[in-house]
Structure formats: structure tokens, C-alpha cells
Amino acid sequence: MTYLAVAYIGMLFGIGIWTWTVFARSKDLEQRIHAIEQIHIDGEE
Amino acid sequence: MIQRETTVGRTMSKRGAEGILLLGFFGIGLTLGLAFLKAPSVSINAFESPDAQRIFYWHVPAAWAAFIAFGFLFVGSAMWFFKRSNLGWRMHVAGAEAGLATGLMTVWSGMVWGAAEWGVPWDWTDVRLNTFGLLTFLALFLVLGRQSQPDGVETRDTFSTFGLYGFVLVPVTYVATRLWQIRHPGPVVGGGDGGSLAGEMAVILLVGAISFTIFIIGHILMSMRITSLEQRLERIQKSMDKV
């Protein structure tokens, strides 16, 4: 049962990391786009 | 005004995808709890390792989610290859990433069970194990290949061709235990005689299947959004380079 619990929780942990990377990638891209657009707007002004 | 509506629409679709993903994650956590705490024990005589059988509540829904992901990969590949659809390419990318993750989950959970029940984590003579393993390798190739190549029509054509041909493995994997039952157990739902489940087991399996479906749809939507953002960033950078 311990062996099974470790395998199961390990899988949940792995899925958690994958899900977190998806959120992090999305946030990172949004921030980069926002930063570039801001530079573009500032440049035009 | 139009700009504001577009921004509001993007925020809503982002919130929707995130909400679906988190709901699915909560559901698969719940499935884990139910599998451990609520699922009835199986007969000691029927299995070498009865406790390991609980992994089935994770393994089967993960495989189901993998087939949904590979379905997206196939449809997306066809849409790109025949229609040059950008939406199709985003579906291809999302399907490959989701197929890799759920494929690895299925393979890993199956190997844990195989090690406990059979004494070996993998049986090279079993058709279903090998076709499913190949599908997961295909998804790995598509994910790594896309990241290592510059985006362009030729790259997309090459990978979508693999996505189209690779899908042949899905029906082969699905019928493998019916045609060549070597070591992998046969179907437990819709498999005819001897393939039915006790009520409580069926309910937990259903919770798992619904949760994994919601989870993988959330991941696919988020992944499609990420590809869209990557493309938008590239367009902005190109337009700025021209200035």
C-alpha cells in the first residue's frame, strides 16, 4: 500500500507540476506581450 | 471600444480555460481519494496484488483522456494539412502536448500495476502495451520536434503528417485486447460477458472519467491559448523589427 501511495501521489505531483507550468507559460507570455506593446506605445508618444 | 471588447473576450476565455483546468484537477484529486478510501477491495484470489488494482481508477481514465488528446491531434493535423487552418495547428500542438502528458500517466500507472501484479513493469509481447507506447513516443517526437524547429509551413506539414498517420495506432490500441489478448486485461466497460463492474467501482471510475475529461479539455484550451500568444508575440516582434 505504501508503494502504491507513493506512485499515486507522485503522479498527482507530476500532473500538478505540468498544470503549474501551463499557468506559468501563459502568464509569462502575457507579460512579455504587454511589455513589448508598452514599449511600442511609449515609442510612438 | 472594439479593442476593449476583444480584451474582455480574451480575459473571459482565459478565465474559462483556467476554471475548467482547475475543476478537472480537483476532480482527479477526488478520484485519487475515492480510489484509496472508498473503492471496495477486490478478491485476494483474483489478483496477485489486490491493493495495486486501485491504480485502475487512475489508469483507465488517463488512457481515455489520452485518446481524447490524440483525437484533437488528428483533427488538428487534418485541419492544418488540408485547410491550412491556424486553429487546426493550435489543436495539433495542444493535442500533442496533452497526448504526451496523459500517455505518460497511462504508461507510468500501468507499469506500477504491472510490476506489482505481473512481476515485470512491461511485457514486450503484448500488443496493446506496445502500440500505446508507440503513440506516447509519437507525441514526444511531435512536442520535442516542434520546439527544436523554426515555425513554418514545411515544419507544420511534416508534423501534421506524422499526426495523421500516427492516429492509425489509436483504433489498433483500442481493439488490441479484443483481438490479441496476451497479457493486458480485457475491457471492463462495454466489453460484453465478464466485463461488468460492481456499482461502487463503476461510480468511482465514472467520476475519474469525467474528471480526466474536464482536466484534459482545460489543458487543451490553455495550450491552444499559449500557442496563440506565442504567435501574437512573434507577429509583434516581426512588426517591430520592420520599424
Side-chain angles (χ1 to χ4, degrees):
Chain A
M1 202 64 168
T2 310
Y3 154 80
L4 186 63
V6 169
Y8 248 140
I9 291 163
M11 277 190 287
L12 193 64
F13 185 68
I15 293 172
I17 288 178
W18 176 44
T19 304
W20 176 77
T21 61
V22 167
F23 278 99
R25 276 166 68 198
S26 170
K27 196 177 169 189
D28 177 57
L29 280 165
E30 275 173 1
Q31 284 174 344
R32 283 168 65 186
I33 289 171
H34 180 72
I36 290 176
E37 282 177 342
Q38 203 58 47
I39 291 166
H40 194 60
I41 291 165
D42 292 346
E44 280 179 350
E45 283 171 359
Chain B
M1 186 69 178
I2 293 167
Q3 173 83 32
R4 192 173 169 275
E5 279 174 8
T6 313
T7 312
V8 170
R10 276 183 190 145
T11 309
M12 279 176 72
S13 67
K14 180 194 166 194
R15 292 274 175 264
E18 285 178 351
I20 292 170
L21 181 52
L22 288 175
L23 180 69
F25 190 76
F26 171 77
I28 59 174
L30 178 71
T31 307
L32 175 77
L34 290 173
F36 260 106
L37 306 171
K38 279 278 176 195
S41 298
V42 291
S43 164
I44 294 173
N45 299 325
F47 290 93
E48 290 288 322
S49 177
D51 280 339
Q53 186 270 343
R54 288 170 195 274
I55 219 149
F56 148 90
Y57 299 103
W58 187 291
H59 179 75
V60 176
W64 163 249
F67 285 143
I68 293 174
F70 287 121
F72 264 86
L73 172 66
F74 177 74
V75 173
S77 300
M79 281 169 69
W80 169 258
F81 198 82
F82 297 111
K83 298 277 183 190
R84 290 287 185 267
S85 158
N86 267 318
L87 172 69
W89 179 248
R90 291 202 295 273
M91 284 172 72
H92 166 99
V93 173
E97 286 182 3
L100 175 61
T102 46
L104 286 174
M105 266 187 254
T106 311
V107 167
W108 171 249
S109 56
M111 285 169 72
V112 169
W113 182 78
E117 183 68 22
W118 300 335
V120 286
W122 197 266
D123 183 346
W124 291 104
T125 63
D126 191 279
V127 179
R128 176 171 275 189
L129 264 61
N130 292 315
T131 54
F132 197 89
L134 270 174
L135 260 175
T136 308
F137 265 113
L138 171 76
L140 178 68
F141 165 75
L142 293 176
V143 170
L144 295 181
R146 188 183 79 89
Q147 286 172 359
S148 67
Q149 298 293 317
D151 191 19
V153 173
E154 292 84 2
T155 307
R156 292 185 183 191
D157 279 351
T158 307
F159 290 130
S160 56
T161 309
F162 276 99
L164 286 171
Y165 281 108
F167 191 77
V168 171
L169 287 166
V170 170
V172 174
T173 305
Y174 184 72
V175 299
T177 53
R178 288 170 173 85
L179 295 180
W180 313 282
Q181 188 162 11
I182 297 167
R183 205 159 191 180
H184 191 286
V188 289
V189 178
D193 294 340
S196 61
L197 277 178
E200 209 170 4
M201 288 178 160
V203 169
I204 298 172
L205 186 65
L206 185 66
V207 169
I210 293 169
S211 303
F212 268 87
T213 304
I214 295 170
F215 179 71
I216 207 63
I217 288 172
H219 256 295
I220 286 170
L221 290 174
M222 282 296 286
S223 183
M224 285 173 71
R225 195 173 169 278
I226 287 172
T227 312
S228 176
L229 287 172
E230 283 172 352
Q231 289 171 343
R232 194 168 144 214
L233 181 64
E234 204 177 313
R235 277 199 306 273
I236 294 170
Q237 282 172 335
K238 273 183 186 166
S239 71
M240 286 186 83
D241 287 345
K242 282 180 191 166
V243 175

